[in-house]
Amino acid sequence: MIFLTDDDLKTVLRDTILTNLLEDDPTAKNRAEMESIDKMKTYLRNRFDVVEVFDQTGEDRNSLIVEYCVSLTVYRLHQRVNPLKVPEHIRIARDEAMNFLVDVQEGKAHPNLPLVLDPDTGDDTGRQSLPWSSGKGGADHYF
């Protein structure tokens, strides 16, 4: 595993279920984890230093990021075996993780993660997607 540990997965899956999900493919677990990390990075990278976030190990890792990465990884493992039979509690956990990531991207959630810093000044770059608008509402009228 790259960021997650086997013990992280065991908080959600028993060994026998994990073995069944892997179907004798030793690379499946790492692929599912990498896909989950890449998905998370897509939502986090505008505000946070994702390299630093996912380079952390052990107790230094953010527990919320670990929890949601586990949820996405376990969902991927179930989905690769049979996408139509992913257990409901796994779907719910995946949806919760995705909702969190969308909230972070939209600036509605503020996890305690290392910010993207300007390499010259060391200041927060403030990179955050902002909605663009002209401030005008309504329809255009032509007379």
Side-chain angles (χ1 to χ4, degrees):
M1 307 249 14
I2 301 140
F3 174 70
L4 300 175
T5 66
D6 287 337
D7 287 340
D8 294 329
L9 291 179
K10 289 177 185 176
T11 63
V12 179
L13 296 174
R14 290 186 307 224
D15 285 334
T16 54
I17 294 173
L18 183 57
T19 301
N20 289 338
L21 291 174
L22 295 177
E23 294 182 326
D24 296 326
D25 182 355
T27 64
K29 192 168 33 172
N30 284 347
R31 279 196 323 270
E33 181 183 0
M34 278 309 301
E35 291 167 5
S36 300
I37 289 172
D38 287 344
K39 181 175 289 213
M40 293 183 80
K41 284 180 177 181
T42 300
Y43 288 88
L44 299 172
R45 81 174 69 251
N46 282 338
R47 293 177 51 203
F48 302 104
D49 184 345
V50 293
V51 172
E52 187 175 340
V53 169
F54 291 100
D55 277 352
Q56 300 294 318
T57 59
E59 296 298 317
D60 293 333
R61 301 173 301 162
N62 180 287
S63 60
L64 198 56
I65 296 300
V66 170
E67 175 188 347
Y68 290 143
C69 192
V70 166
S71 296
L72 294 172
T73 301
V74 169
Y75 178 84
R76 268 311 282 134
L77 290 172
H78 275 281
Q79 191 181 38
R80 75 179 269 286
V81 172
N82 189 343
L84 300 176
K85 292 194 176 187
V86 176
E88 187 64 22
H89 69 284
I90 300 297
R91 283 186 205 277
I92 291 170
R94 185 251 183 209
D95 290 347
E96 182 181 324
M98 290 306 301
N99 289 337
F100 168 77
L101 291 171
V102 168
D103 285 350
V104 169
Q105 186 179 45
E106 293 176 351
K108 296 177 185 175
H110 308 282
N112 185 21
L113 298 174
L115 298 170
V116 175
L117 301 178
D118 183 300
D120 297 327
T121 65
D123 294 335
D124 173 10
T125 62
R127 289 190 329 185
Q128 180 175 347
S129 58
L130 299 173
W132 287 88
S133 171
S134 66
K136 297 179 183 179
D140 292 329
H141 298 282
Y142 299 98
F143 299 101

